[in-house]
Amino acid sequence: MTHIGSPLPVHIRTHGAVPPEATDYAVTKLGAALQHAPDPVVDSWVTLDAAAPGDRVDAHVDISGVHVHVHAVGETLQEAADLMQERLRSRLRRIRRRPAHGMSVSF
C-alpha cells in the first residue's frame, strides 16, 4: 500500500454550478481512496459535473502507468463523491491483488 506523504496535485475540472466546498470534499475523498493504491500515484484528475442529469463525479488516476477511471452519480455532489471513493477503493484493491504484468504465477 502506498501512503502519500506529500499532497499529490489533483487536476480539477468542473461543469455547471459547483460550489468550492463540493470540490474540496471530492478532492479529500479522492485522496483517501488513493491511500489504498498499490503503487505510486503519478497523476490524478477529478471532474465534478453539476450540469449533468444527477450530480456526477469522475476520477482518473495514473498509478505507475496503470490508468484507472471511475465515476458515480448521486442526488448531490457529496453523495457522488462518496460513491466515487468507494468505487475507486474497490478498483484499487483489485489491482493490488492481480499479478504484475509480465510475471508468471506459480501454483
Side-chain angles (χ1 to χ4, degrees):
M1 183 180 324
T2 301
H3 293 283
I4 302 170
S6 61
L8 176 71
V10 176
H11 305 281
I12 302 167
R13 296 181 204 129
T14 60
H15 301 281
V18 176
E21 56 273 4
T23 302
D24 293 342
Y25 187 79
V27 169
T28 299
K29 291 296 189 173
L30 177 67
L34 292 179
Q35 294 298 314
H36 299 275
D39 291 312
V41 177
V42 177
D43 213 350
S44 62
W45 303 263
V46 67
T47 303
L48 292 91
D49 191 349
D55 288 335
R56 180 180 169 127
V57 176
D58 288 83
H60 297 266
V61 182
D62 182 350
I63 302 169
S64 296
V66 176
H67 187 78
V68 179
H69 169 248
V70 297
H71 72 273
V73 176
E75 301 248 344
T76 65
L77 285 170
Q78 182 175 351
E79 180 183 358
D82 289 338
L83 292 169
M84 175 273 300
Q85 178 188 17
E86 290 174 25
R87 290 178 182 165
L88 183 56
R89 280 194 338 200
S90 175
R91 186 78 48 87
L92 294 174
R93 279 189 220 115
R94 277 186 258 145
I95 290 171
R96 193 170 54 224
R97 282 184 256 161
R98 76 175 187 209
H101 298 291
M103 291 182 62
S104 61
V105 178
S106 301
F107 294 98

